[in-house]
Amino acid sequence: PQKRHKAIHDALVKQPEVFSDRPPMGTYVKYEGVVMAPYGDGWKRLRRLGLTALRQFGMGKRSLEGRITEEARALCHVIAKTDGNATNISLFLSNAVSNVICSMSFGERFDYNDAEFLTLMELISKMVG
């Protein structure tokens, strides 16, 4: 067990650049973004840019906690409306995450049935999917 631990430690801590890359996604990915971009200088620049932008919008500050709490309440309310019926909540979760980002970016959140919000979600889905 000790040797396996040392091998894992050596691989992941001492040589992270060798083991940090993502698997190739093929030609069906339109834009890799930060999540699926190959590890390297480009990935590091994108990550740094994203973190800087998120910090300017309040990430890591108490103000963001209130926005997340507000959205969690809205999410619970939407899920409660399903009356315990089997429901795929992945769209609800995507909407909740997007609403937190919208509240940081635009200063307001959208109702999950709002036509403008649904259009925005559809465009984002087409852009990344």
Side-chain angles (χ1 to χ4, degrees), residues 18-68:
V18 175
F19 295 95
S20 295
D21 211 352
R22 281 94 180 132
M25 293 303 295
T27 57
Y28 58 88
V29 175
K30 294 178 185 175
Y31 175 70
E32 293 173 331
V34 175
V35 176
M36 296 310 296
Y39 184 79
D41 289 336
W43 177 86
K44 289 176 185 177
R45 282 193 304 272
L46 281 174
R47 181 178 180 273
R48 196 174 313 117
L49 174 67
L51 287 174
T52 300
L54 287 171
R55 280 191 197 103
Q56 288 175 344
F57 283 120
M59 184 183 83
K61 298 179 182 168
R62 301 280 301 166
S63 63
L64 184 59
E65 181 181 333
R67 293 171 192 216
I68 293 171

